[in-house]
Amino acid sequence: MSRVGRQPVAIPNGVSVELKGNRLTVRGPKGTLERELHPDMKVLVEDGLIRVERPSDSRIHKSLHGLTRALIANMVRGVTEGYEKALEMSGVGYKATKSGDKVILHLGFAKPVEIEPPKGIVIDVPTPTSLVIRGADKEAVGEIAARIRRLRPPEPYQGSGIKYVGEKIRRKAAKTAK
């Protein structure tokens, strides 16, 4: 049996969980998240716990069991604590500024890149060379962070580009002349 899927998800105080058919809605202090769950998985909400049960021990049901439980746990954590990704930029002239909800990135292109976050996501600019992306939906926060990083991925020779805070970039030695 799945070790992840077997564990129940505790519902903290201030969080309400509503299940209508296969649609799960979780409301909390940081927002509301909805997700359509796989129809084969049986989700039970009882006594302040959410349990996921599977119909059989087939390979697909075992994998869906753990996946469904993990998705529900991420939703509950997202509406209580939220998620955060931090990015840092290094390079000559690389900087970020915030104007309203939009973030304007100067990355050495002919024109600055404007990024407008989707609903529920907030992008902060604590310093001109760092960004912090916050939100309740783990997937959306990670997706926006990956899109921004993809604009200028870190390059291995000089280390310039956009990288996650704490990410190690393997540096290469430059060519040497004889």
Side-chain angles (χ1 to χ4, degrees):
M1 192 168 185
S2 169
R3 292 189 186 122
V4 173
R6 232 189 332 221
Q7 301 167 353
V9 178
I11 303 172
N13 293 336
V15 175
S16 67
V17 177
E18 186 180 326
L19 184 66
K20 286 185 181 173
N22 293 335
R23 181 161 286 290
L24 183 73
T25 305
V26 181
R27 287 185 180 83
K30 297 271 185 182
T32 302
L33 295 176
E34 287 189 25
R35 178 175 288 278
E36 190 77 29
L37 301 173
H38 196 277
D40 289 351
M41 294 295 110
K42 184 177 177 185
V43 179
L44 307 168
V45 180
E46 54 192 22
D47 301 330
L49 296 174
I50 304 172
R51 295 186 187 282
V52 180
E53 294 179 355
R54 65 176 185 241
S56 71
D57 284 339
S58 69
R59 185 180 194 127
I60 186 74
H61 287 154
K62 284 182 179 180
S63 62
L64 283 172
H65 190 208
L67 171 72
T68 305
R69 190 261 177 210
L71 291 173
I72 293 170
N74 287 343
M75 289 171 70
V76 170
R77 181 175 170 221
V79 298
T80 54
E81 302 169 24
Y83 288 97
E84 178 178 297
K85 288 266 188 187
L87 298 169
E88 58 186 16
M89 296 181 276
S90 61
V92 176
Y94 289 13
K95 67 178 183 173
T97 55
K98 188 163 181 160
S99 97
D101 287 344
K102 292 182 183 179
V103 174
I104 300 165
L105 300 173
H106 300 274
L107 301 172
F109 296 126
K111 295 182 180 179
V113 179
E114 284 188 12
I115 296 180
E116 190 168 344
K119 185 180 172 220
I121 302 294
V122 176
I123 302 176
D124 291 329
V125 184
T127 65
T129 59
S130 65
L131 297 168
V132 179
I133 302 151
R134 291 186 179 92
D137 190 358
K138 186 176 185 178
E139 288 180 51
V141 169
E143 178 66 28
I144 292 296
R147 278 190 193 162
I148 292 173
R149 185 184 182 277
R150 206 176 305 134
L151 292 171
R152 281 281 192 198
E155 57 99 18
Y157 293 103
Q158 293 156 356
S160 63
I162 303 173
K163 66 176 188 146
Y164 296 111
V165 170
E167 180 182 9
K168 300 282 186 217
I169 304 300
R170 278 190 78 173
R171 300 290 299 270
K172 292 182 178 179
K175 289 184 180 180
T176 56
K178 284 190 175 183

